[in-house]
Amino acid sequence: MTVHAPPPETATATTATPVVGTHLPPEPTSVESDLARAHAIAGLVLLLGAAAFGIMVATKFTAPQFLGDRAALTWGRLRFAHTQGILYAWLMNGFFAFAYYAVPTLSGRPVLSRALGWWLFWIWNVGVVLLGWVMVLSGTSQSVEWGEFPIVVDVITLGAFLGFVAQFLAPYLRRPRAGLYVASWYYALALTFTPVAFVIGQFVPEYFAPGAIGAILSGLWIHDAVGLLVTPMSLAIAYYVIPAVTGRPIFSHFMSLTGFWGLVFFYPLNGIHHYVFSPIPMHTQQIAIMASIFMGLTVIVLVANLLLSLRGCARLTMSNVALRFVWVGTVFYLLVSLQGSFQAAMPVQEQIHFTDFVIGHSHLAMAGFATFIIIGGILHAWPRIAGRPFHARYAHWAFWVATIALVTMVGDLTIVGMQQAGMWISGASWIDSVVASRSAWMIRTVSGTFLAVAFVLLLVALLRRPGAEDTEEAPAGAVTSEPVAARGAVVSA
Amino acid sequence: MSGEGDTDMDAVQDPPPAPPGRPSRLVRMLERGTTVMLLGGVGSLVLSFLALGVVPTIELTHQMNQSTPASWKPMNAEEQLGFTVYKREGCAYCHTTFVRDIPSDVARFGPAGEAWEYRDQYPQQWGTRRVGPDLSRESGLRSDAWHYAHLYDPRSTVPQSVMPAYPWLFQQQPGGGAVPTEEARGLVAYLNYLGRAIQVSGAQTERGRAVDGSTATRNHDVGPR
Amino acid sequence: MTIPPPRTTAELPPDPSGGPSADRQAPQHGAATFYDPDRHPWPPNAAQVRLFVLALALLGLPLAWWAVSR
């Protein structure tokens, strides 16, 4: 791997623009390496905290007395800290890290302000993540799923998020009529959609919308957070890294467009499928379920497009660990989306809803799809933002440990979820379904611990200076033949 | 990554060849940043909140105004305190509080939930996971003493339970034993409030009557046979 | 610290239209691939891609009907 030694501070170079044809102007651009690196490291360090909360929560399923006599370490509060930590501490830090690398490159313009970036870095990690953790553990929280941090933290989160919106949209707004590359569409979508959705999801059920009405809005928010924040920010990384590593265009522009606009239209309509057979009007539930089915079909198009972009150079996924993380994350995306569509359907939902099947689904989405793609993005960007390669041996280990641990966890939860569903319908005593789940819950704890081990390995891979034999030899674009590229490339809309 | 030899640099220097075919106007429009932000970000948000937020809200408001029985009372201060504790400790993350209108749920827990039952819950605590049973038909099912013992040490009433104990809701007595605090009393009051209204008034909508007209609370330990 | 942006064709994602840059981005190396384009009628052309998307959309209709049936 060739790595450009970073030149002294303040250097700004011009892009080699003709590469991207009409879509990048020959303007100077700058990658915010320091901010990207800081967010990446902060995200991974805080991820260890969020994972530790998760392991504690999982342990309590089989040892309910474990850490049981302190209010701050009770199951409910730790779960708040776990899920909010995964979203705000890990995923968002990872997204911001990659955006500081990718947005200036894609738009050909610098972000709004580097000083603002450092303010936002500290506000996000201290004022949102650490403050939020302290408050939910000490008993000040908001019992809204995917919104457990209390209102005061929500206000800080909103302010900081608007700062990030300004930071990353400014480069695009400077050329509003320019055609954008696919990855930029996803950035622009997530950044414009989320602030208002966040306000509606966090504040309205708490103060203005009681009961069933609140459930509608918090259902929408649960899915807006997953579908219009986490998903597009992850897909932006996938759409960036895959062609960047292979050196080949995205397979089909038509499929890029169909996937994007399908996601835009169908995903926001999905949220109510969290409350099927509830007092919410039945046709509202049915619209959400039908939208979920079409969302799954949209994802088939989207993922087919990404995977076909690897055609003829699949060997790169073996040698390039960054690409491999993105590739496997993309496959997880397909699996988790098809699973989501399937379990939204009423005949399925009737049985498996409320079981661990759904918990397996959410871990496949967050720890599989989003996490794998972010890790791939950070690894891909690392040589440029850190000025030196990562330690490839540790990164390879991290990949295998994470993959095996995650597949074990999701498979385990899926199976025990079906078992719980069967027992509930069979008429068994409730406690029997709890007792029967015990061994599966133990496997979940162990696999979760290994997942955390993979994150430690990853942190070591980034921080440890590699020896000469520890960097990867993964010549980009090296594994293809010309006819393939020529024939496959132009499927334009 | 490192295929970046001189050849690639040379390729960059080449003048771009003429595009084979210009994308259509629609496609060029859809690629534009403003389109993505306005139609994608703002448009889909507005559409989704109108179709799946505002419209059902109007319907539900209307329906709740029609169906709320005269006997319905919002939570009193003690139940409200219990609701606060219920939210703070994350009870809703293991216990749902709505019975779905499907046979297995109704047979195990009682009549399906109706929207008016929840009209004083800010925010709603329906839940999305059942490790323990649904609690929305809990009123009158067990004695207060059972609840206190269960909250203080769940294994004392249900030996195989995995529920956390909540000793901080109790005051330890010097001679051993524990006395429920105001919070514990509130929590038990709230548990007894859950489902009381529908027991008093009976189901008010087709939904609650659909599977079984009875509003009796059931012992959820044993489900349908 | 600011470092030069990536300066190779391999680094920047190519033109989304797949048009002008596609040919120039064809890699210079003739290493082995996992499939032989002469033996497999693949990848599909634009019409086949559209047909695939249309087929999925049509497949969605019965699936959606099934999904909301109780």
Side-chain angles (χ1 to χ4, degrees), chain A residues 4 20 101 244 253 346 384 477 480, chain C residues 2-3 7 10-11 13 16 27 29 67:
Chain A
H4 304 294
V20 270
Y101 171 72
H253 195 49
M346 281 184 165
R384 288 99 183 158
T480 50
Chain C
T2 309
I3 65 168
R7 50 186 191 102
E11 180 52 30
H29 320 270

Side-chain angles (χ1 to χ4, degrees), chain A residues 76-124:
Chain A
R77 300 188 194 182
L78 285 173
R79 188 198 191 276
F80 294 173
H82 172 56
T83 54
Q84 293 282 276
I86 292 297
L87 177 62
Y88 294 118
W90 160 236
L91 299 179
M92 294 314 293
N93 262 318
F95 292 142
F96 295 146
F98 196 78
Y100 274 121
Y101 171 72
V103 170
T105 313
L106 290 165
S107 64
R109 295 283 185 282
V111 296
L112 185 63
S113 152
R114 188 172 300 167
L116 174 69
W118 283 110
W119 277 102
L120 291 174
F121 173 81
W122 290 108
I123 292 173
W124 191 266

